[in-house]
């Protein structure tokens, strides 16, 4: 049973690594969060400072995630609309 759990965890890690290959911005931000957790830069001298840095980095991760989501959604919708023949494409006047 322990062997199955290790295999399952290895598979999860492998799947995550594949996802990070297509989302390098997310991987970079997660790395920054780990740096805060491990206090690699020595920026956080107190628990309050560590908490503030963590919150800032998590917000950045959220912004990156939403931006990535929006770009993928836009691409999917554009492909879907381009697939419909006879549909009129409307653009905003400049």
């Amino acid at each position: 049973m322990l062997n199955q759990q290790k295999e399952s965890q290895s598979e999860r890690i492998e799947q995550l690594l594949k996802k990070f290959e297509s989302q390098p911005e997310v991987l970079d931000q997660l790395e920054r969060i780990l740096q805060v957790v491990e206090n690699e830069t020595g920026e956080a001298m107190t628990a309050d400072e560590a908490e503030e840095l963590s919150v800032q980095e998590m917000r950045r991760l959220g912004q990156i995630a939403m931006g990535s989501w929006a770009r993928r959604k836009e691409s999917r919708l554009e492909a879907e609309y381009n697939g419909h023949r006879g549909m009129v494409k409307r653009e905003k006047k400049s």
Side-chain angles (χ1 to χ4, degrees):
M1 180 150 175
L2 185 61
N3 196 26
Q4 286 178 332
Q5 288 176 338
K6 285 183 180 180
E7 286 180 23
S8 175
Q9 186 174 3
S10 295
E11 289 174 10
R12 285 179 59 206
I13 290 170
E14 193 173 312
Q15 290 172 355
L16 278 171
L17 290 174
K18 287 179 183 178
K19 289 180 180 183
F20 285 137
E21 286 177 3
S22 66
Q23 299 289 333
E25 299 161 324
V26 173
L27 179 60
D28 291 343
Q29 188 58 33
L30 286 173
E31 192 172 24
R32 282 194 282 278
I33 290 169
L34 285 173
Q35 288 171 348
V36 170
V37 169
E38 295 173 349
N39 200 19
E40 286 183 5
T41 61
E43 289 179 70
M45 301 303 280
T46 66
D48 286 340
E49 291 172 347
E51 179 183 20
E52 181 61 31
L53 286 171
S54 296
V55 168
Q56 288 173 8
E57 296 301 336
M58 292 299 288
R59 284 185 180 142
R60 285 189 193 113
L61 177 60
Q63 292 169 348
I64 290 167
M66 291 308 301
S68 178
W69 175 86
R71 285 188 297 277
R72 286 191 321 274
K73 180 72 171 180
E74 181 181 32
S75 293
R76 281 193 301 263
L77 287 174
E78 186 175 319
E80 183 180 315
Y81 290 139
N82 287 339
H84 290 96
R85 294 183 185 185
M87 185 175 234
V88 177
K89 185 175 180 180
R90 298 185 187 262
E91 294 183 9
K92 194 174 189 177
K93 291 182 181 179
S94 54

